[in-house]
Amino acid sequence: ARNSEYVDKSGLISVVNASLNTEQAFMCVTRSRRFGKSMAAKMLCAYYDQSCDSRHLFADLSIAQDPSFEKHIGKYPVIYLDISDFVTRYHDESVVTQINQKLKKDILKAFPNVTTEDDDDLMDCLSQIVSQTKQQFIFIIDEWDAICRDFPVGTTAMDSYVNWLRRMFKGGQSMQVFAGVYMTGILPIKKYKTESALNNFIEYSMIIPRNMACFFGFTKHEVEILAEKHGVSFEEL
């Protein structure tokens, strides 16, 4: 992204930083397609992920001047999950089982020295890792609603997914395991009757964007700058 025409949306990071380990730490951003949701999610991965040094990607962006920049950059193990990828690969009732099994396999591979039980589910494993390493996770989910769009309410896949969301994000361990959870999707949480499973999430929709409005899509000022840069008439555009 930084090698192409990039509009600085790094201010989003400061908003997420301010939410970590608070009652607002579980966030869901919903927008229609082509608003840069996936781009923003990948930016957050690059910033928080402790497995890489990404300072050069942010050095000339606005977030580098933010007081919270150094505090959180590269400080967390990050789990990135694209639900639509699983729906495409496993378009049947096994999709949630596949998500759980493959994430668990990746997590245990990344933390080979952590002791877990054979019958531990993903949340059990994460809880053990946090307990033994004293490191919380950042969990970033793109297209959280892909399963909801493909499987009607009442199907085994949908019921399993709601139960999985509740197990991951509503249990007593969730606040200890995750410093922050950031989800994106197309339509709001309430659309799919998952509200009870996700009612601890702060939702930033197109109707109620709160302080997220300027980070998705382009503002008028940003378009004016691009038009001037490329010699295009803003009025005509």
Side-chain angles (χ1 to χ4, degrees):
R2 291 307 316 273
N3 288 335
S4 59
E5 186 76 75
Y6 182 74
V7 175
D8 187 354
K9 297 293 184 179
S10 64
L12 171 66
I13 296 171
S14 66
V15 176
V16 180
N17 282 349
S19 76
L20 298 180
N21 287 304
T22 72
E23 290 293 325
Q24 292 77 44
F26 291 66
M27 316 171 80
C28 183
V29 175
T30 55
R31 292 290 188 282
S32 56
R33 296 190 184 281
R34 313 311 304 166
F35 269 75
K37 301 185 301 297
S38 295
M39 176 81 73
K42 291 172 183 176
M43 176 183 70
L44 294 174
C45 289
Y47 172 76
Y48 288 114
D49 187 12
Q50 66 181 10
S51 70
C52 62
D53 182 359
S54 60
R55 280 176 172 78
H56 65 287
L57 294 175
F58 298 97
D60 61 339
L61 301 181
S62 62
I63 186 59
Q65 307 305 316
D66 190 275
S68 69
F69 178 70
E70 288 294 337
K71 181 178 179 181
H72 296 288
I73 188 169
K75 299 293 174 60
Y76 299 89
V78 174
I79 303 171
Y80 173 75
L81 172 62
D82 183 349
I83 297 291
S84 64
D85 182 48
F86 279 89
V87 171
T88 301
R89 293 165 62 192
Y90 307 103
H91 194 67
D92 56 39
E93 303 291 349
S94 72
V95 61
V96 177
T97 299
Q98 294 290 345
I99 290 172
N100 202 65
Q101 290 178 347
K102 291 185 182 299
L103 278 181
K104 179 180 174 181
K105 182 179 179 181
D106 281 355
I107 291 294
L108 295 180
K109 183 178 179 180
F111 294 89
N113 297 323
V114 171
T115 303
T116 60
E117 301 295 333
D118 291 340
D119 60 348
D120 283 350
D121 66 4
L122 176 61
M123 194 59 179
D124 289 328
C125 292
L126 292 173
S127 182
Q128 285 297 324
I129 290 168
V130 172
S131 175
Q132 295 175 45
T133 67
K134 310 305 179 186
Q135 280 191 303
Q136 290 177 292
F137 286 85
I138 298 286
F139 202 155
I140 297 175
I141 304 177
D142 200 8
E143 300 274 6
W144 82 270
D145 54 339
I147 289 177
C148 308
R149 300 196 307 266
D150 274 39
F151 296 91
V153 172
T155 59
T156 300
M158 185 61 186
D159 288 348
S160 297
Y161 187 47
V162 172
N163 288 333
W164 183 81
L165 291 170
R166 185 177 289 112
R167 169 67 172 143
M168 294 301 297
F169 305 127
K170 282 296 294 292
Q173 299 169 308
S174 301
M175 293 292 288
Q176 287 73 45
V177 168
F178 302 118
V181 179
Y182 180 93
M183 301 198 312
T184 72
I186 295 174
L187 293 176
I189 288 171
K190 296 179 180 63
K191 174 71 176 178
Y192 301 109
K193 299 183 180 179
T194 54
E195 183 178 5
S196 62
L198 296 172
N199 62 5
N200 57 327
F201 277 75
I202 305 297
E203 194 160 10
Y204 301 82
S205 66
M206 294 188 76
I207 298 173
I208 309 176
R210 297 184 172 88
N211 53 348
M212 293 283 199
C214 61
F215 303 127
F216 298 93
F218 297 129
T219 66
K220 179 179 179 181
H221 179 61
E222 288 167 346
V223 176
E224 288 174 339
I225 293 174
L226 289 171
E228 182 178 357
K229 177 180 178 181
H230 294 282
V232 177
S233 166
F234 175 77
E235 288 72 22
E236 291 182 11
L237 183 60

